[in-house]
Every structure is written in C-alpha cells, then in structure tokens.
Amino acid sequence: MHKFIYAQKDSWIAENSSSRNYGGDEVLELFKDFRTDWSGSYTTGVSRILLQFDLTDISSSIVSGDISSDAKYYLKLYSTEASELSHTYNIEAFPLVRSWEEGTGHRSDTPYVSDGVSWKYADSRDPSS
C-alpha cells in the first residue's frame, strides 16, 4: 500500500540573503555555491529546504497496528534545472528543533520580503515582532 503525504508548509532559505524569505516560491532551491563575484571576491553560500508534514495520522496508525512499525518512508523531491553537479551528491535531512513560519517571499521580490522564516529568524525578520 502507498500513502502520499504532502507538506503543510514549505520554504527555502539562503545563507547569502540571511533576512529574506522564500516561502511563496513554487520551486524549492537547494544549492551550494562557490564562485568569484564581479569584484574578484570569492563568495560561498548554501541554501536549506524546510518542509513540515502533519504526521498525526501515521503516528496513530502505527500505535493502533494499522501500519507496521517497520514500514518504509520515502521523501521524493524532483529537480527542475540541475547544473554543474558532480557524479555523486549527498543530501542530508534533519528534524528541526523549533517551529517556523512559511512566509510569502519570492526570489524575484523587490523590495525583498522578510515575513516568515529566514536564515536568521524562524518567524520574522524582526525578532521583536
């Protein structure tokens, strides 16, 4: 049996734009960027994808025995445009230790949007709000 669970909320955040929010983008961007900018400075940057799922039904189904405790789970993410990838590429997933807000930002926003999660904050650009 297959059961599909979709994310309740998703966003991506970037180290190089630490106050921006990308919760409104249709595409989640995952990158590790090493390059020299126009001034000759070497820059680095990484992004993180944040996903939140409601696992209440799965947890209660495991407890009741409807789902085996040794069931397998898979996260499937698909590439839209891959470039300059090595032959091997490792992606790791970790649980988050606190809640976060999705926000409404897009990569193309000018001025940029800072509501919701960013590299610096879990819920807004201004920690006092």
Side-chain angles (χ1 to χ4, degrees), residues 12-17 22 28-35 44-49 85 89 107 119:
W12 66 276
I13 57 177
E15 179 182 30
N16 288 345
S17 51
Y22 303 105
L28 300 170
E29 294 194 29
L30 182 63
F31 58 82
K32 185 175 185 180
D33 199 11
F34 298 96
R35 64 186 137 127
T44 63
V46 298
S47 72
R48 301 284 189 261
I49 292 175
L85 292 178
Y89 199 82
R107 183 179 187 104
W119 195 267

Side-chain angles (χ1 to χ4, degrees), residues 114-128:
S114 59
D115 69 329
V117 69
S118 69
W119 195 267
K120 286 185 176 180
Y121 306 112
D123 53 9
S124 72
R125 182 170 179 244
D126 179 2
S128 63

Side-chain angles (χ1 to χ4, degrees), residues 56-90:
T56 307
D57 289 342
I58 290 179
S59 296
S60 61
S61 295
I62 292 170
V63 169
S64 69
D66 293 337
I67 296 178
S68 171
S69 61
D70 63 349
K72 294 184 182 194
Y73 303 90
Y74 301 92
L75 174 64
K76 291 197 175 200
L77 300 173
Y78 298 93
S79 174
T80 58
E81 294 179 28
S83 63
E84 301 179 29
L85 292 178
S86 66
H87 292 286
T88 59
Y89 199 82
N90 295 323

